[in-house]
Amino acid sequence: MGFFDLNIPYHESDRHVTDKSSLKSRRLKLALKAMELGYTGIAYNRTLKGIISESDRCAIPLFPLSSILKLAPSSSYFSAAVKFHRDLLNVSVSTAFRQYTRLTLIVDSAAPVLKSSNGILKSYDIVAVRPVNQNAFDQACKTSEVDIIAIDFSEKLPFRLKQSMVKAAIKRGVYFEITYSSFIMEAQARREMISNCKLLVDWTRGKNLIFSSASPSVTELRGPYDVANLFSLLGLSKEGAKAAISRNCRSILANALSKKHFYKEAIKVEEIPSHGQINSEPSPFDDWLKWDPISSGDGDLLLDDMEKSFSASRNVAKTVKTIDFTSSMNGVPAHGLQIKDIISVTKVAPEPPDNGKCLSVAKETEAAIADNEMPVEQGGVNPLPEEQDSLNAVVRKQGKLNPFPEESQTSLEDDRNIYQVPNCEKSKILLDPLPQEQGELISLPEDGQISLNDVTNKYQVSGYEDSEMSDLPTNIGTSNYFTDFDELDTVSIEKLRNSGKLDGNSVRIELSDSQLSSCVPSCRTSVLPDGSLSFNSTSFSDRPYSVQLSASLNDICFPANIEESNVENSVDLVVSAQEGIVVNTVQNKIEREKEKEPILASPDISSQNGHMEREQLKERIGTSISSGDGLAIEEYINPIVNENSAAKYVPMVDGLISEKKQIKPVTSYRLLDKSQAGRGRAKRRATYKPFSFPFKGLLNPKPFKRKALKSKSLITM
Amino acid sequence: MHQSDFYKDKSTSSSPNLEGMVGFKNRYMVMEVFLDPSKDLGVDEPVIITQFNLSKAIKDSILTNFGECGLASSLNSFQVKYVNPITKVCIIRASRDEYQKVWAAITMVRSIANCPVVFNLLDLSGSIKACKNAALKCDELKFEQYKLLAGARFTPDSQLHMQNCLDKIKLLEH
């Protein structure tokens, strides 16, 4: 998680300024100091009063890399210092140091309501408002479309803070800013600040609160942890204080930049350049982005290529959190490119943006998850969630791919160790095949259509099996396994949904259960010529399963769930998506089973009947699923599981229904059938003959009533 | 590094060897000092930091910000255990109850002997052992940076001096 200081004063454009160059050098020093102390982003704040005119459009020059090199007597010292501090703060060394522009408007009640559509305001990344009287404050809290409300607490407040106003502002997503430089500088200011801020801090509890320096010179700047501790004096909790300089700032930036670049709720669809095209299209991406951060000193430390690629790509980082197509794996180093490559490569003809969209969905969840967990990383490898940009970079400049393996190979061992613990198992898998696979990947697009076998073979050859496959059997029994399938399917379905039709390109998707460090099923999906998606798992290499889904899976509900998820709930949503699937599955099954009721009615569903049913299902699958039942994948897995008698799959299926209960295979098949029928029975008790099965009570929304039946079921089994 | 210690409270302090010390629960802060940050890098040092002047500056800060009682309650365990004038790394001990106040006061120190200073926390730990490890690492890394910065002015004396300091760290006790 990066640290931000969103208030570095910018006075060079002020009207009566005389000594611009000294101001500029001061600002530069501040920027450098902030970078040295471990901050990952700063915003230059320009303060304006009164009416905004055209001349006030953003003209803040951001410092390019060259200025650093000029100033620092030894850039190697500087980058060593930056690296040192970032390691201490657990910030990725490869995170780019970003600069933003900010405007603070001093408003009194006479000023018109601020709208974000104001063109001049739009030229700044962040817009803040400083109310000077009660009306202005009320207006700012209730209606103004600004990012931050910055109140000058170091003097006696000319108005009162009201809790209702504060609450209204928080609800709207406006942040309150408290600056600490006056705290440090003057004793009187300290007094006023503490008495004024205490109220605000108590009411907000750190939510929607940010800290920033507003420091006139380098001596007032403090490191992130120091600032957090300082504000704990105000009664804020440690976590809240820490969040106020990192997470909250980051969300402001994400919101602000997305507002800046996109119109209302439009989303940006980015075409993922295919492998061959990457080198020829760097410019469209650069055009989109208005702010131009310098590359961090660390950028210099790492390979120069990486730094160059940073400068092109890191622009994307903040803006496209939710729409980041370029790479779906947060926490995955350059190797993460692999997946992206594969997918973009194999989907040359059909719509890449959609492809990316689904990837972004997966990425979002993982980013969220990874974000929450804050995995540790090694220098030189850029796995953190914020490193979407580096991955973008990697994608965009595929020509530069080659440096990466050298860089990363040295740290591969370490990375393997690191990735033992954290969330993105994916990354682990990807780490291994990187060196060998590059050549293979590059050759993929030329094939056009890739048969499943080829994919399988290639990835086996590339040692994909080595890393995580051995882990697979141990974790299979858990419902986590099922989660992986779900995620897989989420992604694939999302893709299908977006792309509509797929023409015979095969796609390989790797997923991992990033929140639960379970094994990763190496599921591969390939799109068969008839437009259905087949999904094979090679985890059981002796018997590859295939699931076929028709292309018209447009109505599957759970991708939508995931898209809407916010950071913290992403994990829950994946899980709940599963449950949603269960419900849907069951309900749909029930509808179908209505017709087949006589078969199912008997208490003992013989496997034969089960087979019949499954065959029927399979037929249905084969033809099409046109009813838009929202059928989920478990249904299809059913026949497969049955056919292959894979005990290992059973827990997965069961996990879906009974939530982590381990059941014997035979029992479980019956369970599945019965359970699905049983669900229907929950709805239409009158029509169906009641037959029981174990664990029905768990399925049933009213467990208490079913207890009697449960005991009966045990006997029949 | 023990960053995880930052926002976790240690339940016990470890003091296996000395008796009567288990009652004191301390926090050890490894900090770095930036002397006169607005001056250009690589210029000779305006003031040499020692245990004494650091301690004085911090105590003054506690007195200004937290008053007599604040100073008194933190004075019990407060000690500047180690200072390295080359790398500007120092170890400060404070009691577990008062360390936040002491840390805040340190953050608010503006100058030492008319030279503007900035303190920056590098590591916070609950045991002297962890602190020693962290301090050694920080010191070594900072020394590398110093060497890069000093360039031609680097002398073997500094190396010797540095070695002495590192040994001092290793000998630190409560």
Side-chain angles (χ1 to χ4, degrees):
Chain A
M1 178 58 63
F3 297 98
F4 300 90
D5 186 352
L6 293 183
N7 194 335
I8 305 267
Y10 170 81
H11 294 295
E12 288 148 50
S13 300
D14 285 357
R15 293 189 189 126
H16 308 290
V17 120
T18 47
D19 191 3
K20 283 201 176 177
S21 59
S22 76
L23 287 175
K24 186 160 188 179
S25 68
R26 214 192 297 176
R27 186 162 67 97
L28 177 60
K29 278 202 195 132
L30 268 171
L32 292 175
K33 189 75 184 174
M35 191 175 1
E36 190 183 336
L37 286 173
Y39 285 100
T40 46
I42 57 174
Y44 302 112
N45 182 24
R46 182 173 177 194
T47 311
L48 282 179
K49 192 180 171 88
I51 306 169
I52 327 163
S53 70
E54 261 306 305
S55 63
D56 296 326
R57 212 163 254 276
C58 180
I60 301 177
L62 302 174
F63 293 117
L65 185 60
S66 50
S67 343
I68 301 179
L69 298 175
K70 255 192 279 171
L71 193 73
S74 157
S75 64
S76 55
Y77 157 77
F78 184 70
S79 21
V82 177
K83 187 168 188 296
F84 171 58
H85 284 103
R86 283 200 174 177
D87 285 339
L88 285 173
L89 292 172
N90 283 336
V91 174
S92 158
V93 176
S94 51
T95 313
F97 182 74
R98 303 179 179 114
Q99 305 171 69
Y100 303 93
T101 58
R102 170 183 151 173
L103 176 70
T104 300
L105 290 164
I106 301 178
V107 291
D108 55 16
S109 35
V113 176
L114 290 170
K115 286 280 174 205
S116 59
S117 49
N118 188 331
I120 302 167
L121 294 182
K122 263 195 175 178
S123 65
Y124 293 86
D125 292 326
I126 307 171
V127 177
V129 70
R130 170 167 296 167
V132 294
N133 57 28
Q134 189 70 51
N135 279 340
F137 175 67
D138 294 345
Q139 200 179 62
C141 288
K142 284 200 280 194
T143 51
S144 288
E145 291 178 19
V146 291
D147 303 308
I148 302 174
I149 296 178
I151 307 173
D152 187 7
F153 290 106
S154 58
E155 285 146 11
K156 188 153 172 26
L157 273 187
F159 54 88
R160 283 201 191 290
L161 297 170
K162 284 197 208 149
Q163 191 173 15
S164 56
M165 292 294 143
V166 171
K167 269 194 185 152
I170 291 177
K171 219 173 181 183
R172 281 180 52 224
V174 183
Y175 286 75
F176 289 92
E177 179 197 45
I178 305 179
T179 62
Y180 64 81
S181 65
S182 42
F183 207 86
I184 294 172
M185 285 197 291
E186 298 151 15
Q188 180 67 20
R190 254 174 248 171
R191 233 176 274 179
E192 297 291 344
M193 252 195 74
I194 295 191
S195 55
N196 293 333
C197 294
K198 205 157 191 340
L199 215 53
L200 186 65
V201 168
D202 288 341
W203 284 339
T204 61
R205 288 167 184 274
K207 195 168 183 255
N208 283 45
L209 204 64
I210 62 163
F211 301 141
S212 57
S213 69
S215 50
S217 77
V218 198
T219 31
E220 277 76 41
L221 201 62
R222 294 290 185 272
Y225 281 156
D226 295 311
V227 174
N229 179 66
L230 212 53
F231 282 100
S232 67
L233 284 180
L234 289 174
L236 198 56
S237 68
K238 287 181 198 167
E239 289 74 30
K242 209 168 157 197
I245 32 160
S246 55
R247 218 175 304 137
N248 294 357
C249 294
R250 196 196 167 98
S251 53
I252 290 184
L253 286 168
N255 290 340
L257 287 170
S258 62
K259 258 194 273 178
K260 186 178 177 189
H261 294 299
F262 312 125
Y263 179 70
K264 290 196 180 167
E265 282 115 23
I267 56 170
K268 180 162 73 170
V269 173
E270 176 181 311
E271 182 172 348
I272 299 169
S274 68
H275 173 73
Q277 291 168 16
I278 282 178
N279 289 326
S280 59
E281 301 183 41
S283 46
F285 305 118
D286 296 342
D287 288 348
W288 293 344
L289 306 149
K290 300 205 176 124
W291 58 271
D292 182 31
I294 56 174
S295 82
S296 65
D298 321 18
D300 297 332
L301 265 188
L302 300 177
L303 297 167
D304 287 341
D305 287 342
M306 215 159 163
E307 193 236 326
K308 278 181 213 155
S309 53
F310 273 162
S311 55
S313 65
R314 94 195 126 234
N315 302 331
V316 193
K318 273 291 172 285
T319 61
V320 286
K321 263 205 91 127
T322 49
I323 319 173
D324 195 348
F325 305 115
T326 52
S327 98
S328 57
M329 314 308 162
N330 275 322
V332 174
H335 319 290
L337 172 67
Q338 298 304 310
I339 291 174
K340 177 122 200 339
D341 255 354
I342 299 158
I343 293 174
S344 64
V345 144
T346 56
K347 294 201 82 172
V348 171
E351 303 106 272
D354 303 325
N355 182 13
K357 187 155 195 273
C358 75
L359 287 178
S360 76
V361 167
K363 178 183 189 182
E364 176 74 357
T365 56
E366 280 144 28
I369 295 151
D371 234 357
N372 290 337
E373 307 264 5
M374 280 178 59
V376 180
E377 64 235 319
Q378 293 260 338
V381 182
N382 46 326
L384 269 196
E386 35 222 292
E387 287 338 285
Q388 306 162 5
D389 51 353
S390 60
L391 292 167
N392 301 345
V394 167
V395 169
R396 294 225 182 90
K397 309 250 169 176
Q398 269 212 343
K400 317 252 184 203
L401 254 190
N402 294 324
F404 282 61
E406 298 149 18
E407 156 81 16
S408 51
Q409 255 185 341
T410 55
S411 52
L412 261 180
E413 307 313 305
D414 298 332
D415 294 333
R416 282 210 191 100
N417 296 334
I418 289 171
Y419 287 105
Q420 289 291 340
V421 174
N423 329 328
C424 284
E425 287 286 299
K426 250 182 260 203
S427 56
K428 212 168 167 190
I429 291 172
L430 297 169
L431 277 174
D432 299 328
L434 170 65
Q436 305 95 330
E437 278 193 329
Q438 273 200 346
E440 292 173 1
L441 282 177
I442 291 167
S443 68
L444 277 177
E446 289 139 30
D447 295 346
Q449 183 152 359
I450 303 161
S451 72
L452 192 66
N453 288 335
D454 288 349
V455 176
T456 310
N457 293 338
K458 276 187 181 156
Y459 284 98
Q460 284 181 351
V461 164
S462 64
Y464 178 82
E465 304 274 341
D466 302 342
S467 55
E468 292 316 301
M469 301 311 270
S470 53
D471 291 341
L472 284 173
T474 58
N475 292 346
I476 279 164
T478 66
S479 63
N480 298 342
Y481 194 87
F482 191 77
T483 310
D484 299 336
F485 273 89
D486 255 4
E487 265 198 42
L488 166 77
D489 299 318
T490 304
V491 175
S492 59
I493 287 162
E494 187 55 31
K495 255 204 292 192
L496 287 174
R497 167 203 269 247
N498 291 321
S499 62
K501 290 182 213 164
L502 303 168
D503 51 314
N505 292 330
S506 68
V507 177
R508 176 166 172 269
I509 302 169
E510 295 175 12
L511 287 179
S512 72
D513 188 5
S514 53
Q515 68 270 31
L516 313 158
S517 53
S518 62
C519 63
V520 175
S522 67
C523 311
R524 299 191 194 117
T525 62
S526 67
V527 178
L528 302 182
D530 64 354
S532 59
L533 183 78
S534 92
F535 145 73
N536 294 333
S537 167
T538 57
S539 49
F540 310 105
S541 49
D542 50 350
R543 271 195 259 201
Y545 309 115
S546 73
V547 182
Q548 296 203 346
L549 307 170
S550 79
S552 61
L553 292 171
N554 295 323
D555 301 303
I556 293 178
C557 61
F558 56 96
N561 292 343
I562 292 181
E563 278 171 37
E564 292 157 13
S565 69
N566 61 21
V567 171
E568 282 77 280
N569 296 332
S570 56
V571 176
D572 299 334
L573 279 169
V574 171
V575 174
S576 64
Q578 285 179 44
E579 290 161 0
I581 297 161
V582 179
V583 175
N584 284 335
T585 307
V586 170
Q587 283 172 0
N588 291 312
K589 262 250 170 143
I590 287 155
E591 277 152 56
R592 274 209 250 126
E593 284 170 359
K594 242 183 174 174
E595 311 152 33
K596 302 184 273 175
E597 200 221 317
I599 302 171
L600 295 175
S602 63
D604 289 326
I605 293 181
S606 65
S607 52
Q608 203 183 23
N609 286 337
H611 272 290
M612 269 171 58
E613 180 204 352
R614 286 186 189 91
E615 276 162 70
Q616 289 175 5
L617 283 177
K618 225 192 162 183
E619 276 173 46
R620 289 190 184 214
I621 297 164
T623 51
S624 75
I625 305 154
S626 53
S627 58
D629 290 343
L631 293 169
I633 293 153
E634 306 78 83
E635 293 192 55
Y636 304 108
I637 290 172
N638 237 341
I640 295 152
V641 170
N642 195 15
E643 285 164 10
N644 293 292
S645 315
K648 289 178 180 175
Y649 260 99
V650 169
M652 166 199 82
V653 169
D654 287 339
L656 171 68
I657 293 169
S658 59
E659 298 190 357
K660 296 183 188 180
K661 291 245 174 192
Q662 302 275 342
I663 308 173
K664 280 192 281 182
V666 175
T667 310
S668 68
Y669 296 154
R670 295 188 202 172
L671 171 67
L672 192 58
D673 300 332
K674 291 174 188 172
S675 67
Q676 285 154 356
R679 274 282 180 142
R681 249 199 336 278
K683 277 185 167 182
R684 313 173 192 92
R685 250 166 268 166
T687 50
Y688 283 22
K689 237 202 249 178
F691 58 87
S692 52
F693 51 94
F695 307 112
K696 194 168 76 170
L698 292 169
L699 254 191
N700 201 307
K702 295 169 196 161
F704 306 106
K705 286 193 181 174
R706 297 282 173 171
K707 266 185 189 161
L709 283 170
K710 189 176 179 180
S711 58
K712 226 204 268 176
S713 70
L714 286 170
I715 297 164
T716 53
M717 289 307 291
Chain B
M1 305 293 172
H2 300 275
Q3 295 300 297
S4 59
D5 295 345
F6 267 61
Y7 292 98
K8 267 191 225 165
D9 272 321
K10 297 275 180 174
S11 49
T12 55
S13 74
S14 59
S15 50
N17 296 323
L18 297 179
E19 292 182 15
M21 295 298 272
V22 193
F24 292 110
K25 314 233 185 264
N26 294 320
R27 287 277 182 264
Y28 296 89
M29 299 181 272
V30 181
M31 301 201 116
E32 66 176 339
V33 189
F34 294 104
L35 294 176
D36 210 351
S38 51
K39 266 213 302 188
D40 289 331
L41 300 167
V43 184
D44 271 345
E45 283 140 49
V47 71
I48 301 185
I49 50 173
T50 63
Q51 283 181 319
F52 177 69
N53 49 13
L54 263 192
S55 174
K56 181 147 193 340
I58 298 172
K59 281 188 205 161
D60 286 343
S61 172
I62 302 177
L63 184 63
T64 324
N65 294 307
F66 297 102
E68 298 283 351
C69 293
L71 180 59
S73 48
S74 48
L75 209 53
N76 195 15
S77 281
F78 172 74
Q79 192 187 354
V80 177
K81 305 243 16 140
Y82 161 85
V83 171
N84 186 334
I86 305 172
T87 60
K88 319 278 190 313
V89 170
C90 53
I91 299 181
I92 296 158
R93 179 190 74 191
S95 71
R96 211 206 312 165
D97 300 326
E98 300 287 321
Y99 83 97
Q100 277 176 310
K101 282 196 200 153
V102 171
W103 183 6
I106 293 173
T107 309
M108 290 195 263
V109 171
R110 292 204 71 202
S111 64
I112 296 179
N114 297 327
C115 168
V117 293
V118 174
F119 280 86
N120 186 36
L121 187 100
L122 300 176
D123 187 76
L124 175 68
S125 46
S127 65
I128 190 69
K129 191 166 163 228
C131 173
K132 277 199 265 189
N133 292 337
L136 278 169
K137 275 191 221 155
C138 290
D139 232 354
E140 280 162 8
L141 288 171
K142 283 225 83 177
F143 190 54
E144 296 303 316
Q145 291 170 32
Y146 170 77
K147 280 197 275 191
L148 287 170
L149 191 61
R153 292 180 294 119
F154 180 72
T155 62
D157 281 348
S158 320
Q159 186 77 38
L160 200 61
H161 195 16
M162 187 66 200
Q163 199 52 46
N164 290 340
C165 290
L166 290 176
D167 293 334
K168 254 195 267 176
I169 297 183
K170 291 171 195 156
L171 294 171
L172 275 180
E173 283 176 0
H174 309 276

